[in-house]
Amino acid sequence: MSSSKNTAASTASSSQSGGFQHEPLTEPESEIRLLRILPLIRQSNGTESSRSQKQHGTTTKVLTNIRRLVRNSYRKHINSTVHCEIFHVNLDQAPSYKALSYTWGSPDDPQLPIKLNRQTFFVRENLWLALQQLHAQSDPVVIWIDAVCINQTDDMERNEQVTKMKTIYEKAEEVVVWLGPSYEDSHLAFQLIQEMYDHRHDVEWIARRFQQPELKRPVVALHNLHNRDYWWRMWIVQELTVAKCISLQCGADSIGAVALDETQKLLRAMARLEMGFQADHLLNFLPNNSVARDWVQSRGLYEIRTFQQAFDSQDLSFTQSLLYNWTRESSDPKDMVYGLAALANSTSKYQIEIDYSLSVAEVYIDLAKKEIQNCKTLEILTRARSGSTLVGLPSWVPDWSRTWDSHFFLNDITEPQLAFSASGESTRDVAVSDDDDILFLKGVVIGMVEIISAHHGMTNEQDLDNARLVFLKWWNLLGKSGDRRNLTQEKFGRTLICDRSTEHSRGDWDRDEFCRSIVGKFGALCCEILPSEDIDSELAAVHSWMVQRSKELDGDVFVRDSMKKVNRTWIQSSWLFLWDRRFLLGSSNIMGLAPQGVKEGDIICVPLGCPHPMIFRKVDGHHIVIGEAYVDGYMRGKAMDMLDQGELELETFELH
């Protein structure tokens, strides 16, 4: 589905200038349009019919630059026109049809011509390439494609048709996922998926296959396939969640989605040493990139399946559905909400009405108010943070369009075992002003920010070179507190991983020693490149202790190189949550992490019903939200215990 309604309208306008005009739907509540893509007819002499000239393969040549491929493809196909017929049907009486799931691409992408009922219609290049592949099939293809089947210049029709999209994809005999043209060895990724599926019951065969060095290229190709823009789009959640059958197509290659499901299942089992696997063979091909390993195991289609399972088994609120998919993108920011509306409205206690005439801020405010008024917790508040550029958005309302900065929130709804409960079992105590969008809530202040680390120069979460320097600065800042003894080291280590360890991930380590070992792991990272004189004696001692303790726990299986890989994996995973946060020390012996916008003097509050502490700042007699905070020792109800014991007082906060 389109991620942009404004840009879609401009696209459609240019399409109509080419000649084709959509006939109005006579029964818009029950009627849709379908597209019949006519096949490419070849003559006995090898040429094509007069409908199109000789066609060259659009996606057989492997290129590393997609723009270069698209331009070359366009030049080859400039005389090859896709012919289609468009017709109206009642959705309940529609013939068998497919539905296309794809990305619209950028508004700046070239628009290329097709023929609709013998009249010219322009589509963006990614859809044009998909149509070229469908056009090459031997039989007509009846399919629903949003950019063509919806009149994007008619606001009323667009609103009506978008509400029916869930049903349209549900009724389709097959949802065809167009991943784009073939490049970056995508054909090798498809071959690997097929191999894994064919041998899904033969773990020994798979283990032997993954010991062959030449498999690295297909593994890297599989990672690149999962990094394509398609998997990040919000609209695909709805399209794939309700689909009866899914096929994946990349250039001329096609495979059933069930094969990718099985492949990712096997790769996750490999990482966990389950199903008979004796080693995580992905480490051989992607040894220094835990994020890449995570992508091939647990991203893309697996994320859709995870949400689908939760959606089918739980009564998710609208915001909870959004929390499963908040990292996705849409070129129209409203579609971060509207793209889930047909699904989420079916289980949520409250409904979100699709209205593209509203501003982005109005859409997000409406969602936040309904969530807060209808749910017992303030989980949505933890997604609010300073730095939004949306005009008219209160500080307590999350900016769902802000996915570009790679920020990781403390709570991942897919990992309930790591969830926090800073406010214990309390329920939110709030009031919302409809006139001026002010939120009144009750909570307790647990401290004030007194010392914060300086802004650091990390460019992203993978910038481990600068991560070493940032860690040393935080370690030195901790030293200024005058206490870096064992208990403080455990507290610091727990903060570095946001207390995200589990019994499984700790292995034979007890919880406190494991947290202290995290400091040693970071110390090991520093020791790799820094001269020994730049490592202070306390950090060197923690590192030495960690190495010795690892030998004691691992016994004869201890291997220093393996330990380095494990250390790096932990550091990469934890740095996802550290790279854009600042280390803080506060009153009442507080240690934690806060958003980049934190300042000395900000207060640390635990609102009733809120799973995380929040940083508030007083401005002109009211407060604004800076963002959620990790505060060691206060993540599991301590503030509520102190409130019950009379050590803290309940206060009312006016948030603008």
Side-chain angles (χ1 to χ4, degrees):
M1 172 63 195
S2 163
S3 297
S4 173
K5 300 303 169 186
N6 296 329
T7 54
S10 65
T11 299
S13 296
S14 64
S15 303
Q16 293 192 359
S17 67
F20 178 81
Q21 297 284 338
H22 285 88
E23 291 291 333
L25 297 171
T26 56
E27 298 179 2
E29 293 184 359
S30 59
E31 197 174 16
I32 65 170
R33 299 182 185 90
L34 289 176
L35 192 68
R36 182 182 292 110
I37 303 172
L38 302 178
L40 192 65
I41 300 177
R42 297 186 180 277
Q43 308 298 332
S44 59
N45 62 1
T47 63
E48 297 171 2
S49 71
S50 59
R51 213 167 44 220
S52 61
Q53 302 300 316
K54 184 176 181 181
Q55 183 186 34
H56 299 273
T58 59
T59 59
T60 56
K61 186 176 181 181
V62 178
L63 298 171
T64 57
N65 188 312
I66 187 171
R67 293 300 174 193
R68 179 183 166 199
L69 182 144
V70 170
R71 288 196 300 269
N72 286 350
S73 177
Y74 173 68
R75 284 194 293 270
K76 291 178 181 179
H77 284 280
I78 195 167
N79 294 318
S80 178
T81 303
V82 176
H83 284 252
C84 307
E85 298 171 348
I86 193 167
F87 57 98
H88 297 199
V89 296
N90 184 293
L91 183 55
D92 292 330
Q93 302 171 355
S96 179
Y97 67 91
K98 302 178 188 290
L100 188 68
S101 180
Y102 69 108
T103 61
W104 278 49
S106 166
D108 298 328
D109 288 348
Q111 296 188 24
L112 309 175
I114 63 171
K115 288 292 185 179
L116 276 185
N117 294 351
R118 300 185 178 183
Q119 295 180 314
T120 301
F121 187 84
F122 287 90
V123 297
R124 292 187 193 168
E125 63 182 3
N126 189 45
L127 175 54
W128 186 81
L129 289 168
L131 290 170
Q132 290 287 343
Q133 289 295 334
L134 295 168
H135 178 52
Q137 297 187 20
S138 57
D139 296 315
V141 177
V142 178
I143 195 166
W144 188 87
I145 303 174
D146 59 344
V148 182
C149 296
I150 297 177
N151 182 358
Q152 300 289 342
T153 62
D154 186 333
D155 289 343
M156 290 184 63
E157 178 182 312
R158 193 169 73 241
N159 288 343
E160 182 70 44
Q161 291 286 295
V162 167
T163 62
K164 282 201 280 287
M165 282 186 58
K166 174 176 175 286
T167 305
I168 291 172
Y169 279 87
E170 278 178 332
K171 288 181 175 291
E173 64 172 355
E174 179 185 12
V175 173
V176 179
V177 170
W178 172 249
L179 293 172
S182 178
Y183 67 102
E184 292 184 331
D185 289 336
S186 57
H187 65 290
L188 296 181
F190 271 64
Q191 291 173 14
L192 176 59
I193 293 169
Q194 188 65 60
E195 283 185 355
M196 295 281 283
Y197 182 73
D198 291 343
H199 296 87
R200 61 191 181 278
H201 301 305
D202 191 348
V203 168
E204 292 183 1
W205 185 94
I206 295 173
R208 290 194 302 271
R209 183 75 174 98
F210 270 78
Q211 291 171 11
Q212 299 172 4
E214 62 269 19
L215 196 65
K216 180 172 183 177
R217 192 173 162 191
V219 168
V220 172
L222 183 61
H223 165 255
N224 292 335
L225 194 71
H226 281 92
N227 199 28
R228 291 204 176 198
D229 288 346
Y230 173 83
W231 299 113
W232 297 101
R233 308 312 292 172
M234 178 59 83
W235 281 104
I236 73 169
V237 177
Q238 174 177 261
E239 296 163 1
L240 302 188
T241 296
V242 302
K244 298 175 185 174
C245 175
I246 303 171
S247 65
L248 309 175
Q249 184 155 353
C250 187
D253 298 307
S254 181
I255 198 168
V258 64
L260 182 55
D261 284 329
E262 288 294 328
T263 297
Q264 292 192 293
K265 177 182 176 181
L266 288 163
L267 292 175
R268 290 192 302 276
M270 187 184 295
R272 298 166 183 168
L273 305 184
E274 298 172 348
M275 294 176 61
F277 286 106
Q278 301 299 313
D280 182 1
H281 301 289
L282 273 181
L283 284 170
N284 298 329
F285 302 115
L286 302 167
N288 297 320
N289 196 335
S290 62
V291 174
R293 295 196 299 275
D294 180 58
W295 278 3
V296 298
Q297 295 164 349
S298 306
R299 300 297 177 185
L301 188 60
Y302 178 70
E303 291 179 307
I304 299 291
R305 300 304 195 201
T306 299
F307 169 69
Q308 184 176 23
Q309 183 178 19
F311 184 81
D312 291 340
S313 61
Q314 305 173 42
D315 290 330
L316 300 178
S317 74
F318 199 112
T319 297
Q320 286 175 321
S321 291
L322 187 49
L323 290 178
Y324 272 97
N325 299 285
W326 71 272
T327 57
R328 301 187 184 279
E329 299 173 348
S330 62
S331 48
D332 185 338
K334 301 172 193 174
D335 287 340
M336 290 297 293
V337 174
Y338 291 164
L340 287 173
L343 272 178
N345 281 342
S346 66
T347 60
S348 179
K349 295 178 180 179
Y350 55 90
Q351 309 293 299
I352 298 297
E353 182 179 349
I354 296 175
D355 183 356
Y356 282 102
S357 68
L358 297 176
S359 69
V360 177
E362 287 173 328
V363 173
Y364 293 174
I365 291 170
D366 179 51
L367 172 62
K369 285 182 177 180
K370 288 178 177 177
E371 171 73 14
I372 290 172
Q373 291 168 342
N374 287 277
C375 298
K376 294 181 179 180
T377 73
L378 287 178
E379 187 171 19
I380 193 171
L381 185 64
T382 66
R383 298 305 171 112
R385 56 189 175 120
S386 61
S388 173
T389 58
L390 275 184
V391 176
L393 193 72
S395 70
W396 54 272
V397 176
D399 179 357
W400 299 107
S401 69
R402 195 175 166 191
T403 61
W404 49 265
D405 59 359
S406 299
H407 179 77
F408 281 74
F409 290 94
L410 294 176
N411 178 45
D412 183 344
I413 197 170
T414 67
E415 298 178 321
Q417 72 277 14
L418 298 176
F420 297 117
S421 53
S423 62
E425 298 180 357
S426 65
T427 57
R428 54 101 178 103
D429 188 341
V430 299
V432 182
S433 169
D434 290 328
D435 296 334
D436 42 17
D437 299 327
I438 296 174
L439 175 65
F440 298 89
L441 61 79
K442 292 185 178 181
V444 295
V445 175
I446 60 174
M448 179 180 294
V449 177
E450 295 182 339
I451 301 175
I452 51 175
S453 62
H455 288 282
H456 49 71
M458 290 189 64
T459 56
N460 56 56
E461 70 275 15
Q462 295 299 306
D463 185 7
L464 291 188
D465 288 336
N466 276 320
R468 297 178 176 93
L469 301 178
V470 173
F471 166 77
L472 288 176
K473 290 178 181 178
W474 290 9
W475 175 254
N476 292 333
L477 189 65
L478 183 63
K480 292 181 180 179
S481 69
D483 179 10
R484 290 196 301 207
R485 292 171 295 181
N486 289 3
L487 288 177
T488 304
Q489 292 171 11
E490 293 167 5
K491 191 173 182 179
F492 185 49
R494 201 161 45 243
T495 299
L496 290 173
I497 60 172
C498 298
D499 199 12
R500 292 178 59 83
S501 71
T502 63
E503 185 175 349
H504 174 75
S505 64
R506 291 192 295 269
D508 293 331
W509 294 80
D510 70 45
R511 187 172 184 272
D512 291 336
E513 280 194 334
F514 180 81
C515 292
R516 187 184 176 204
S517 78
I518 293 295
V519 180
K521 295 179 191 300
F522 276 86
L525 182 69
C526 297
C527 291
E528 288 180 13
I529 62 168
L530 298 177
S532 57
E533 57 267 21
D534 288 348
I535 307 295
D536 69 52
S537 58
E538 287 178 296
L539 183 57
V542 180
H543 176 229
S544 297
W545 167 82
M546 180 203 68
V547 173
Q548 181 60 36
R549 188 70 179 121
S550 297
K551 290 180 179 179
E552 294 171 359
L553 292 173
D554 296 339
D556 294 337
V557 300
F558 175 82
V559 179
R560 188 175 294 272
D561 288 342
S562 298
M563 185 182 71
K564 288 177 66 174
K565 290 181 180 179
V566 172
N567 289 349
R568 184 174 287 269
T569 296
W570 264 105
I571 291 169
Q572 286 182 323
S573 299
S574 62
W575 212 259
L576 297 174
F577 298 88
L578 302 181
W579 81 275
D580 64 343
R581 286 183 167 89
R582 298 172 72 181
F583 181 62
L584 71 86
L585 297 172
S587 58
S588 305
N589 198 30
I590 278 177
M591 179 190 299
L593 299 168
Q596 288 278 25
V598 67
K599 293 181 179 180
E600 294 176 357
D602 288 343
I603 64 169
I604 308 170
C605 174
V606 177
L608 297 183
C610 190
H612 306 158
M614 300 295 299
I615 304 291
F616 292 163
R617 180 176 301 153
K618 193 166 186 177
V619 178
D620 297 331
H622 62 267
H623 287 85
I624 60 173
V625 175
I626 305 302
E628 66 178 1
Y630 173 85
V631 183
D632 193 68
Y634 284 88
M635 303 304 292
R636 293 182 171 85
K638 180 179 178 179
M640 296 300 102
D641 292 339
M642 296 175 70
L643 176 64
D644 291 341
Q645 296 165 8
E647 300 176 42
L648 297 176
E649 294 183 357
L650 200 59
E651 302 180 38
T652 299
F653 297 88
E654 178 183 329
L655 301 180
H656 287 218

